């Protein structure tokens, strides 16, 4: 079993990432670290705790991370984030308030301690802004050397989704993402290049609703909200992008994607701020620290997602009639 920490801005597709991880026998989820992004950090960690409880995993600890970008002193949810994920981050679906609360240790310290303890046996999957990871690198210079990281973020061969240049997670804190990319850390980037090829429709969410369980109902309601938002923002796709769960799926099985070995950077100045692109200064460096996914086995991933998450949702209490 591979130990995994999920760094989430929960978020509907973050919810699917979390449930994919909980449903994967290959993974031991040792913690969730919260970040801001789709929602305020307090909303995101509330969702993490509530979702973990709903799916019977209240033993997984949740840690609070940095509440705003590394170059800012506050954070407000963007209108587009609230439109796509709902004000509560989970498509206005209502699930019971969690009984547990966040840990006292900070997310950054938990990330550092875990990497020092488990080394290569641990993978960190980050599906929000890269602020917590950059803070860990700044605090512990050996973090970048030791950590194995998969991120959902960026776009190499396609345009961004918040501007022609920038993808949402990178856009929240380009400086943090640049610090991560240029740190030499072992990072696999699961960007829009592949996540917008993996789509879910109401045909699949109907299967979750048919289970007649509280977990199935919750996932169907939240994901239908997300699918509806995509009908407005990206009608040409015909479904919602499975960004964050694809990153977890790749942590389980890297053969789901084909990757380009490359050294990357993030533009931090000018109109292209937030663009993820090859680092020209390291073009001739034979050592490539990053892998960028450019191809994905869509059918196999969708099969794994439905098989795993449906099994997890089936195992929650029956809905009250
Ligand atoms: O661009 C998609 C990403 O932005 C996903 O991680 C989504 O949850 C939002 O954070
Ligand atoms: Ca996310």
């Amino acid at each position: 079993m591979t130990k995994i920490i999920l760094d989430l801005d929960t978020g509907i597709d973050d919810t699917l990432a979390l449930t994919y991880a909980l449903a994967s026998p290959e993974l031991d989820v040792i913690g969730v670290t919260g970040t801001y992004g789709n929602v305020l950090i307090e909303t995101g960690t509330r969702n993490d705790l509530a979702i973990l409880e709903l799916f019977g995993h209240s033993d997984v600890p949740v840690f609070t991370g940095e509440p705003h970008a590394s170059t800012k002193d506050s954070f407000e949810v963007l209108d587009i984030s609230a439109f796509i994920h709902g004000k509560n981050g989970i498509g206005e679906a209502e699930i019971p308030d969690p009984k547990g609360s966040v840990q006292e240790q900070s997310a950054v310290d938990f990330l550092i301690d875990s990497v020092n303890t488990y080394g290569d046996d641990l993978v960190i999957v980050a599906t929000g802004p890269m602020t917590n990871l950059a803070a860990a690198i700044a605090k512990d210079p050996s973090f970048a050397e030791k950590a194995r990281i998969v991120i959902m973020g960026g776009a190499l061969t396609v345009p961004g989704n918040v501007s022609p240049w920038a993808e949402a997670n990178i856009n929240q804190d380009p400086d943090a993402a640049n610090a991560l990319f240029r740190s030499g850390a072992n990072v696999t980037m699961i960007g829009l290049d592949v996540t917008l090829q993996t789509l879910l429709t109401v045909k699949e969410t109907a299967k979750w609703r048919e289970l007649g369980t509280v977990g199935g109902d919750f996932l169907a309601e939240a994901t239908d909200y997300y699918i509806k938002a995509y009908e407005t923002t990206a009608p040409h796709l015909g479904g919602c992008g499975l960004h964050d769960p694809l990153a977890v799926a790749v942590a389980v099985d890297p053969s789901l994607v084909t990757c380009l070995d490359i050294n990357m950077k993030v533009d931090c100045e000018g109109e292209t701020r937030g663009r993820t692109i090859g680092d020209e200064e390291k073009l001739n460096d034979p050592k490539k620290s990053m892998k960028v996914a450019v191809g994905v086995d869509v059918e196999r991933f969708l099969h794994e997602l439905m098989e795993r998450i449906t099994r997890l949702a089936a195992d929650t209490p029956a809905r009250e009639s």
Side-chain angles (χ1 to χ4, degrees):
M1 258 174 140
T2 302
K3 295 190 188 306
I4 185 170
I5 298 174
L6 297 162
D7 191 53
L8 310 174
D9 61 331
T10 314
I12 296 169
D13 58 332
D14 301 82
T15 300
L16 297 176
L18 179 55
T19 46
Y20 194 110
L22 295 174
S24 296
E26 303 89 341
L27 297 177
D28 172 15
V29 184
I30 65 163
V32 172
T33 53
T35 183
Y36 67 93
N38 292 322
V39 286
L40 297 176
I41 194 155
E42 297 80 8
T43 313
T45 52
R46 181 266 170 202
N47 291 343
D48 297 329
L49 289 162
I51 294 163
L52 285 166
E53 288 182 20
L54 188 71
F55 288 94
H57 286 272
S58 53
D59 53 311
V60 176
V62 176
F63 302 82
T64 299
E66 302 297 301
H68 52 71
S70 54
T71 53
K72 295 188 178 160
D73 52 21
S74 64
F75 169 72
E76 269 178 42
V77 178
L78 296 173
D79 287 347
I80 185 68
S81 306
F83 178 76
I84 291 176
H85 297 271
K87 281 209 173 71
N88 70 354
I90 47 176
E92 311 308 351
E94 283 176 22
I95 50 174
D97 278 331
K99 295 193 184 77
S101 45
V102 291
Q103 303 291 307
E104 264 177 37
Q105 187 182 27
S106 74
V108 172
D109 286 344
F110 177 68
L111 286 165
I112 292 172
D113 284 357
S114 303
V115 161
N116 284 318
T117 306
Y118 300 117
D120 251 10
D121 294 335
L122 170 73
V123 61
I124 300 167
V125 175
T127 66
M130 306 301 141
T131 314
N132 288 339
L133 290 175
I137 289 168
K139 191 163 180 184
D140 177 354
S142 73
F143 183 87
E145 243 167 72
K146 296 179 189 158
R148 185 155 64 96
I149 301 167
V150 179
I151 67 157
M152 189 285 132
L156 183 63
T157 62
V158 295
N161 56 359
V162 289
S163 79
W165 311 107
E167 179 280 330
N169 288 338
I170 306 296
N171 181 62
Q172 295 283 9
D173 193 346
D175 304 85
N178 191 40
L180 172 68
F181 283 17
R182 300 183 86 158
S183 69
N186 171 352
V187 176
T188 301
M189 177 178 127
I190 305 299
L192 301 178
D193 314 84
V194 283
T195 65
L196 286 179
Q197 297 184 47
T198 61
L199 304 163
L200 209 71
T201 69
V202 291
K203 224 173 82 199
E204 284 85 28
T205 59
K207 296 198 176 123
W208 293 338
R209 199 169 276 109
E210 279 163 19
L211 295 170
T213 64
V214 292
D217 283 355
F218 163 60
L219 290 174
E221 189 182 347
T223 310
D224 281 353
Y225 187 100
Y226 186 57
I227 291 168
K228 223 170 175 26
Y230 264 75
E231 281 169 11
T232 309
T233 57
H236 59 284
L237 289 175
C240 67
L242 291 169
H243 308 288
D244 297 349
L246 180 59
V248 173
V250 170
V252 173
D253 180 359
S255 77
L256 283 170
V257 289
T258 47
C259 290
L260 181 68
D261 290 336
I262 183 171
N263 291 314
M264 294 283 289
K265 68 171 188 178
V266 181
D267 287 349
C268 291
E269 305 293 337
E271 68 159 340
T272 63
R273 183 169 159 80
R275 175 173 69 155
T276 49
I277 186 124
D279 183 350
E280 73 280 11
E281 286 175 19
K282 290 195 189 155
L283 189 59
N284 297 318
D285 190 334
K287 188 169 171 288
K288 316 289 182 199
S289 68
M290 285 186 60
K291 289 186 184 302
V292 174
V294 290
V296 54
D297 188 336
V298 176
E299 215 176 299
R300 195 152 63 86
F301 167 61
L302 285 180
H303 172 78
E304 290 298 331
L305 179 127
M306 285 309 292
E307 209 269 320
R308 287 167 193 247
I309 295 184
T310 308
R311 188 167 10 94
L312 184 82
D315 208 20
T316 57
R319 85 164 67 97
E320 279 173 26
S321 47

